Amino acid sequence: QKGMMRPFHPKFPFIPVNNVSGEIVEVGSAVREFKVGDKVVSKLDFWTAGGLAEYVATSDKLTVARPAGISAADAAGVPVAGLTALQALKAIGTKFDGSGTSGGADVLITAASSGVGTYAVQLAKLGNHRVTATCGARNLGLVAGLGADEVLDYKTPEGAALSSPSGKKYDYIVNISNKNKWSVFKPRLSSHGRVVDVAPNFGNFVASVVTLFSRTKKLSLVSLKMSKEDLGLLLELMREGKLRTVVDSRHPFEKAADAWARSLSGHATGKVIVEM
Ligand SMILES: NC(=O)c1ccc[n+]([C@@H]2O[C@H](COP(=O)([O-])OP(=O)(O)OC[C@H]3O[C@@H](n4cnc5c(N)ncnc54)[C@H](OP(=O)(O)O)[C@@H]3O)[C@@H](O)[C@H]2O)c1
Ligand SMILES: *[C@@H]1O[C@H](CO)[C@@H](O)[C@H](O)[C@H]1NC(C)=O
Ligand SMILES: *[C@@H]1O[C@H](CO)[C@@H](O)[C@H](O)[C@H]1NC(C)=O
């Protein structure tokens, strides 16, 4: 690695930047799949990451080609936020084969304006689900534009209660917001409904264990796994114009600290991009 400059989170140095896209400048002798000049997207390995740099070293196993026509900025959101959204939807049985045969379910997606949420809404619609989504008032139009059938402002009483305008219950809740509680989710679930959490932590781990003993409503955790196949699927959907990255803001390398601040504010709409 060359030109590394504060590759890590300013307050939590153990959190590396790991969603990158760029062009290959050098390859190891054992690498067959890529050559110098290839445009790629990579999800850096957690332990060796540090993507806030002009040059990074990554493994071919974590890297996929970036199709022509997809900008580096659009592709940079795919490795973590897009993968998380895709894997959460796969966990509820969503199929993306375009056959239109996956049944479709009533799905609630919280924090639909977040980096993960903006991908999740689009992917849920591609998987034929009927989508209710929550976000702040300023993003109601954006989220409806991503395809959500119903959009709730999380600051209104109905939004806070996650109640569907049509009165329906949800078969699945993809929980992306960090504020919602099981006690709020439970009454909104259909009889065998399930909550899927994208960010495992102690609290929701305990909740998931407790619901193991429930014969009806359940909560489960999805933790991100690197998959070249999944990354490839996301980029293919982008290439076909079926999936897009919502970009909150772009920041030059010299102002990377502003990007961190924006990301940590909890009020970004879509992805925060640092350009080198
Ligand atoms: N990002 C990843 O790659 C990744 C990977 C795995 C897991 N996760 C998890 O996914 C979640 C989202 O992370 P993120 O970085 O994509 O976005 P984020 O910065 O956490 O999300 C910000 C967005 O969420 C909206 N929001 C905040 N509170 C909300 C609420 N109670 N209900 C509905 N919307 C709300 C905000 O709207 P307003 O500005 O209008 O308030 C803002 O648009 C986090 O829990 C994170 O731990 C993220
Ligand atoms: C990667 O992108 C995700 C999704 O938006 C974001 O939450 C996460 O903080 C990013 N990872 C790092 C460490 O930059
Ligand atoms: C929803 O996800 C957030 C963020 O990971 C977590 O803090 C919260 O406990 C989850 N809610 C439930 C009911 O699991």
Side-chain angles (χ1 to χ4, degrees):
Q1 298 188 2
K2 186 161 89 156
M4 285 237 303
M5 210 180 95
R6 196 184 234 192
F8 295 102
H9 192 293
K11 288 205 198 107
F12 309 104
F14 51 85
I15 303 182
V17 169
N18 46 21
N19 319 321
V20 299
S21 80
E23 189 175 318
I24 294 185
V25 293
E26 209 176 307
V27 287
S29 57
V31 175
R32 298 282 167 268
E33 194 180 339
F34 301 103
K35 58 180 190 318
V36 171
D38 284 355
K39 306 235 183 336
V40 294
V41 182
S42 192
K43 182 198 168 305
L44 303 181
D45 172 59
F46 183 85
W47 302 107
T48 56
L52 204 50
E54 289 170 295
Y55 298 91
V56 294
T58 187
S59 158
D60 55 347
K61 296 185 183 58
L62 306 174
T63 304
V64 294
R66 166 161 57 95
I70 302 178
S71 72
D74 286 349
V78 167
V80 181
L83 266 189
T84 301
L86 178 65
Q87 292 178 359
L89 284 159
K90 281 187 160 180
I92 64 171
T94 314
K95 298 268 185 292
F96 300 95
D97 56 9
S99 64
T101 51
S102 92
D106 289 309
V107 177
L108 173 74
I109 296 173
T110 64
S113 55
S114 66
V116 180
T118 48
Y119 289 111
V121 170
Q122 298 174 79
L123 290 167
K125 290 308 296 176
L126 288 170
N128 294 322
H129 295 308
R130 297 170 293 283
V131 175
T132 304
T134 71
C135 62
R138 67 201 169 87
N139 287 319
L140 293 170
L142 170 91
V143 171
L146 294 173
D149 302 288
E150 302 176 334
V151 191
L152 299 170
D153 172 355
Y154 75 89
K155 289 193 174 144
T156 62
E158 303 74 39
L162 306 175
S163 84
S164 159
S166 58
K168 68 182 176 190
K169 303 259 174 127
Y170 312 110
D171 301 315
Y172 299 103
I173 296 175
V174 179
N175 172 33
I176 303 173
S177 134
N178 50 21
K179 299 200 184 70
N180 298 120
K181 300 219 159 25
W182 174 245
S183 58
V184 177
F185 287 146
K186 200 175 169 195
R188 299 294 166 204
L189 286 171
S190 62
S191 62
H192 284 73
R194 181 147 75 97
V195 175
V196 181
D197 274 344
V198 299
N201 60 29
F202 184 71
N204 57 26
F205 173 73
V206 171
S208 75
V209 171
V210 170
T211 68
L212 277 181
F213 302 98
S214 155
R215 274 182 296 112
T216 55
K217 303 178 181 185
K218 304 234 186 229
L219 183 146
S220 49
L221 310 180
V222 172
S223 55
L224 180 64
K225 287 189 193 59
M226 173 56 195
S227 155
K228 283 182 81 148
E229 194 190 331
D230 286 352
L231 272 187
L233 170 60
L234 289 163
L235 289 166
E236 178 57 20
L237 291 170
M238 287 183 116
R239 197 188 59 77
E240 292 171 2
K242 294 177 179 164
L243 181 69
R244 68 185 173 96
T245 296
V246 174
V247 175
D248 173 82
S249 51
R250 293 162 185 256
H251 306 262
F253 190 34
E254 298 68 35
K255 295 199 169 156
D258 294 354
W260 272 121
R262 181 69 186 155
S263 175
L264 292 176
S265 74
H267 293 291
T269 298
K271 296 293 309 172
V272 176
I273 307 285
V274 178
E275 290 174 314
M276 325 264 162

